[in-house]
Amino acid sequence: MQILLDNADFASRMLQQVANGLTKGSVYALVAVGYTMVYGVLALINFAHSDVYMLGAYFAYYPARWLGYMPDTAEKPKAPFWLMGMAFLGAMAACAFIGALIERLAYRPLRNASRLAALITAIGVSIFLQNVGQMAFGADPKSFPRYVDQSSVNLGVISVGNTSILIIVVAFLMMAALHLFVQKTRTGAAMRACAHDMKTARLMGINVDATISITFALGSAMAAVGGILVAMDQPRLTPTMGLLMGLKAFVAAVLGGIGSIPGAALGGILLGVAESLVGGLWDTTYAEAVSFVVLIVVLLVKPSGLLGRAGREKV
Amino acid sequence: MSKPILELADVNVYYGAIHALKGVSLSVRQGEVVTLIGANGAGKTTTLATVCGLMRPRSGTVRYGGEDIGKVPTHQLVARGLVMAPEGRGIFPALTVEENLRLGAYARRDKPGIEKDLQHGFEIFPRLAERRRQRGGTLSGGEQQMLAIARALMSQPKLLLLDEPSLGLAPLIVQTIFETIDQVNKQGVTILLVEQNARIALKHSHRAYVIESGEISIEGESAALLDDPRVKAAYLGES
């Protein structure tokens, strides 16, 4: 009897961790698609992507503060729903613009340079954005506005936060929309063509430069959503909040097969669940190490990732 | 004599310090098939790349339909009917035959016209119709070349640039490809063709240029060039 009870307890703990992992993983996935789309087209790891994620959270913070929803003394009043909608859309638009601008200013001049030069530039842009963030926003943590009131929802043996459900639902919808966009629209077809072969894409009449700008803009908008969702769940903003997220999302993209959007989604979810299970059932100290172990194992065993294309086919 | 659709005047192109095209001048008139023959590295592909805007001349002019296109980006030229089927065919291996063809129509917005041209392409190349759901990478070399030409036709070319359509293909397939090129030309498409296989290129063209280390050395009617002793010796394997 005792064993049965223990097992039931264990099972519910497992389920709880899976739910937590899905939440984390959804955000990893949202950020990972940005890495994977840019890599797919330019074979570049855009290290600045994680800082666009950070900017997204800050861009959703300031409107609420300017409108008086962040008083210094009193209890924070709840921000209205329309403001949350505006914060999402505004941050997405601003990040899309910044993402495209980064490409235009930092990466496009290096399009024909060595890949190493572009990679080092990406690291440089990332450091630049973090420091601009510290100058503009201050290095001290900011607490996020009350766009939603956190509560928990009981689902039988487990309970999940309402923000968790929001994260999972929004992330899923965003990725489904992105997938449809890439697969079904004319611009999506241009993105896929550029990912396969940029020179031939040009010969098809595709404006390659514009397509690359759109790729950066879309990935950055997704990162902005990720940043806001995380800030709703853990309302603490710092200019370096992108660092660890960027690392995890990058691992998720590699795990799923860098260049593949469904791969990034799958990789993100798997990584999130794996982290939560290790953290919840074993030791939270080891949870942070999971992604690095995953990265090493993937690169050793299957560098093309779960859903990635293995190498380039020779025609 | 009809007016030239394409005119290169004293075009110089460099790869870094390498002077690849040394004052190339040539012209293609409306309705013609013109071939550019030459050995490996003579500048044939560079010439085509310069025409379609993938390379830029350091000096000299490229005129298409009377207009200087030296600064017009490739994708806009495609929309204006200057289309290239590249060397090595440039098939998207992971996309299906049909997806490849539809990308050829990327610059177009007329849906019914696209569907009509898709059917037309399948009529010219029944093999592609059989394989329309197959991935481009699984096709044989000849089928890929057919796909490359069919895809270029989807862009509604006025001037079609073909880079080595015979490359790596069996003689029988080469014959088929060139018969198709004749057919496409008869339907009103002007063609500039680059070939190493000089014999077949000269047989299937009106006029020809010979390019040697970046310079045009001989030009004339294709029929005349077939009998030209210099061409015979260097490119037709006769003495």
Side-chain angles (χ1 to χ4, degrees):
Chain A
M1 190 61 201
Q2 189 58 43
I3 291 165
L4 265 178
L5 268 179
D6 279 354
N7 282 345
D9 180 48
F10 181 76
S12 72
R13 272 173 63 205
M14 280 273 287
L15 271 178
Q16 183 68 53
Q17 292 309 331
V18 170
N20 297 350
L22 279 176
T23 313
K24 270 203 219 173
S26 303
V27 181
Y28 294 164
L30 262 185
V31 181
V33 291
Y35 281 106
T36 224
M37 285 199 298
V38 165
Y39 187 89
V41 174
L42 289 183
L44 165 77
I45 308 291
N46 176 19
F47 284 107
H49 187 57
S50 59
D51 303 294
V52 173
Y53 155 91
M54 172 272 292
L55 290 176
Y58 275 98
F59 289 159
Y61 160 85
Y62 278 100
R65 180 170 143 168
W66 291 331
L67 291 173
Y69 292 99
M70 297 292 294
D72 288 333
T73 48
E75 169 95 344
K76 277 188 277 185
K78 187 170 187 306
F81 187 74
W82 65 264
L83 186 58
M84 179 170 85
M86 294 301 291
F88 264 104
L89 293 178
M92 284 170 74
C95 285
F97 177 75
I98 288 174
L101 192 69
I102 291 171
E103 188 274 328
R104 183 69 191 79
L105 296 180
Y107 303 145
R108 193 173 299 177
L110 295 171
R111 188 80 54 78
N112 296 317
S114 75
R115 280 175 67 180
L116 196 60
L119 205 68
I120 291 168
T121 304
I123 296 173
V125 175
S126 172
I127 295 171
F128 172 76
L129 288 180
Q130 282 170 31
N131 284 283
V132 166
Q134 296 208 349
M135 279 169 60
F137 313 136
D140 52 316
K142 297 249 185 305
S143 102
F144 202 63
R146 255 176 77 197
Y147 284 120
V148 286
D149 282 321
Q150 294 203 11
S151 61
S152 17
V153 182
N154 240 318
L155 299 173
V157 289
I158 59 170
S159 80
V160 278
N162 58 343
T163 46
S164 293
I165 295 173
L166 183 76
I167 286 175
I168 294 170
V169 170
V170 172
F172 177 81
L173 289 177
M174 292 292 297
M175 281 185 290
L178 181 71
H179 183 72
L180 282 178
F181 180 84
V182 171
Q183 293 300 323
K184 300 289 178 204
T185 66
R186 195 164 166 272
T187 311
M191 286 170 63
R192 285 183 293 144
C194 287
H196 285 300
D197 179 347
M198 221 176 270
K199 186 184 136 213
T200 308
R202 208 165 256 140
L203 293 174
M204 301 294 103
I206 292 166
N207 185 344
V208 169
D209 285 338
T211 306
I212 290 172
S213 295
I214 292 170
T215 306
F216 272 83
L218 279 176
S220 301
M222 303 293 269
V225 173
I228 302 171
L229 289 174
V230 166
M232 283 177 173
D233 196 46
Q234 299 144 26
R236 189 172 173 279
L237 310 183
T238 65
T240 50
M241 64 185 274
L243 266 182
L244 205 56
M245 175 56 71
L247 216 57
K248 304 281 178 67
F250 170 63
V251 174
V254 172
L255 170 63
I258 193 140
S260 155
I261 292 175
L266 179 68
I269 301 284
L270 287 180
L271 186 65
V273 171
E275 268 187 2
S276 284
L277 286 177
V278 168
L281 304 179
W282 189 10
D283 191 329
T284 43
T285 322
Y286 296 132
E288 296 297 321
V290 167
S291 50
F292 303 104
V293 174
V294 168
L295 181 62
I296 292 166
V297 171
V298 171
L299 290 180
L300 282 176
V301 178
K302 199 170 186 301
S304 59
L306 295 172
L307 303 181
R309 287 181 283 148
R312 290 243 155 162
E313 285 172 76
K314 284 241 163 94
V315 187
Chain B
M1 202 179 279
S2 57
K3 63 179 180 1
I5 184 168
L6 179 74
E7 260 186 308
L8 274 67
D10 198 22
V11 167
N12 286 283
V13 176
Y14 291 76
Y15 289 96
I18 299 163
H19 197 173
L21 295 186
K22 301 166 187 162
V24 167
S25 298
L26 61 81
S27 70
V28 179
R29 290 190 289 267
Q30 192 90 46
E32 274 188 318
V33 179
V34 171
T35 188
L36 182 62
I37 58 179
N40 254 335
K44 304 189 298 293
T45 297
T46 308
T47 305
L48 288 196
T50 307
V51 170
C52 70
L54 291 174
M55 299 278 304
R56 297 296 180 190
R58 191 173 291 182
S59 65
T61 54
V62 181
R63 288 180 177 279
Y64 169 66
E67 192 187 335
D68 189 345
I69 55 165
K71 291 198 168 57
V72 182
T74 302
H75 65 94
Q76 287 179 13
L77 292 174
V78 175
R80 291 196 215 166
L82 203 172
V83 180
M84 172 152 98
E87 187 182 13
R89 301 156 202 141
I91 298 304
F92 296 106
L95 302 184
T96 67
V97 167
E98 188 175 333
E99 285 171 322
N100 266 283
L101 288 170
R102 286 190 185 280
L103 274 174
Y106 181 82
R108 298 168 60 185
R109 299 269 188 185
D110 57 322
K111 272 211 165 138
I114 293 173
E115 296 306 319
K116 203 176 127 235
D117 283 357
L118 191 65
Q119 290 315 315
H120 184 62
F122 285 144
E123 277 161 32
I124 304 176
F125 301 107
R127 289 285 279 281
L128 297 182
E130 290 166 28
R131 307 206 188 298
R132 70 192 284 172
R133 308 247 172 265
Q134 218 167 300
R135 283 177 193 271
T138 65
L139 300 185
S140 71
E143 289 164 347
Q144 286 191 0
Q145 188 59 58
M146 292 174 193
L147 179 54
I149 294 175
R151 188 179 60 183
L153 292 177
M154 291 295 292
S155 312
Q156 288 187 312
K158 292 191 183 80
L159 173 62
L160 177 61
L161 311 176
L162 294 172
D163 196 350
E164 303 253 7
S166 79
L167 193 74
L169 301 183
L172 209 62
I173 310 286
V174 172
Q175 197 60 43
T176 319
I177 297 284
F178 272 87
E179 279 161 17
T180 317
I181 292 173
D182 290 345
Q183 197 185 332
V184 168
N185 176 243
K186 287 207 179 73
Q187 288 166 3
V189 180
T190 309
I191 292 172
L192 175 58
L193 172 75
V194 148
E195 260 301 341
Q196 279 199 56
N197 187 338
R199 187 182 307 273
I200 194 153
L202 289 173
K203 278 183 182 155
H204 289 266
S205 58
H206 303 107
R207 288 189 308 115
Y209 292 85
V210 177
I211 186 166
E212 275 175 84
S213 29
E215 289 173 280
I216 301 287
S217 56
I218 309 172
E219 61 173 285
E221 300 285 321
S222 296
L225 258 61
L226 271 170
D227 290 326
D228 189 304
R230 294 168 297 173
V231 175
K232 274 186 171 174
Y235 300 102
L236 301 175
E238 296 168 24
S239 48

